[in-house]
Amino acid sequence: MDLRIEPGDITTIHVDAVVNAANSRLLGGGGVDGAIQRRGGGEILAECRRLRETTLPEGLPAGQAVATTAGKLPARWVIHTVGPVHAKKEDRSDTLASCYRESLRVAHEIGARTVAFPAISAGIYGWSMDDAARIAVTTAASMADEVGGVVDEVVFVPFGDAATAAFEAALAEVNAGR
């Protein structure tokens, strides 16, 4: 499984599945979630509402993932995952890593060969970009044996120079250890 970085706007990336840094309500929001919902159109929100009415009446728990259509995005699916809010007094790294693991497992189940990730929890949820990038890249790399063969490529889509630098450093570190 190849890991690469493509800085920019995740709503314009041509992949099979785009991962959405969603909130647990699955009913849209700001940041990446708002951008994906706006660009993808009403079909995504309609499927999220159906999920809330049926299998996820309490919402999507942090660290879990679920797929919907991608609507008008240049992807086939959106995989929604809820990142943890960073806390100084509690280590929630496992929950953040679970976002990447569970999203890749969902991608494997639906047959997505290419998957694009934003920097989950690094925005309004307060995670430092360096730590968020390290967790993202190391977790994705650790999933190669489990999801490889279906998922061929993971694309990290950082937004901005600082995020790009953090992901480049994390990827360089993972590649040095391979």
Side-chain angles (χ1 to χ4, degrees):
M1 182 172 70
D2 291 332
L3 306 178
R4 70 179 178 88
I5 299 168
E6 187 173 328
D9 179 351
I10 198 163
T11 68
T12 65
I13 301 295
H14 291 266
V15 291
D16 292 334
V18 170
V19 176
N20 180 20
N23 61 55
S24 63
R25 296 177 302 121
L26 293 178
L27 300 176
V32 171
D33 190 15
I36 286 173
Q37 294 275 356
R38 281 189 302 278
R39 183 86 181 247
E43 297 95 332
I44 298 171
L45 184 57
E47 277 196 40
C48 286
R49 284 189 173 128
R50 276 192 292 280
L51 286 168
R52 288 299 309 273
E53 291 168 2
T54 57
T55 58
L56 296 169
E58 302 298 318
L60 184 64
Q64 298 301 304
V66 65
T68 65
T69 182
K72 297 173 184 158
L73 294 173
R76 192 165 169 198
W77 299 281
V78 173
I79 299 172
H80 306 268
T81 191
V82 179
V85 174
H86 185 266
K88 291 181 181 178
K89 295 183 179 185
E90 180 184 351
D91 182 7
R92 297 178 179 169
S93 311
D94 282 345
T95 305
L96 182 54
S98 181
C99 291
Y100 291 92
R101 279 193 304 272
E102 295 305 314
S103 293
L104 287 168
R105 286 179 179 140
V106 168
H108 183 268
E109 290 170 12
I110 61 178
R113 301 187 72 71
T114 55
V115 182
F117 281 98
I120 299 167
S121 289
I124 197 164
Y125 283 17
W127 222 277
S128 83
M129 188 59 71
D130 290 338
D131 197 37
R134 179 189 58 78
I135 291 168
V137 174
T138 58
T139 303
S142 74
M143 294 294 292
D145 288 342
E146 183 176 335
V147 301
V150 173
V151 179
D152 294 330
E153 183 177 52
V154 171
V155 182
F156 297 102
V157 187
F159 188 77
D161 294 340
T164 300
F167 273 87
E168 286 172 346
L171 188 55
E173 192 171 314
V174 164
N175 286 336
R178 283 185 173 178

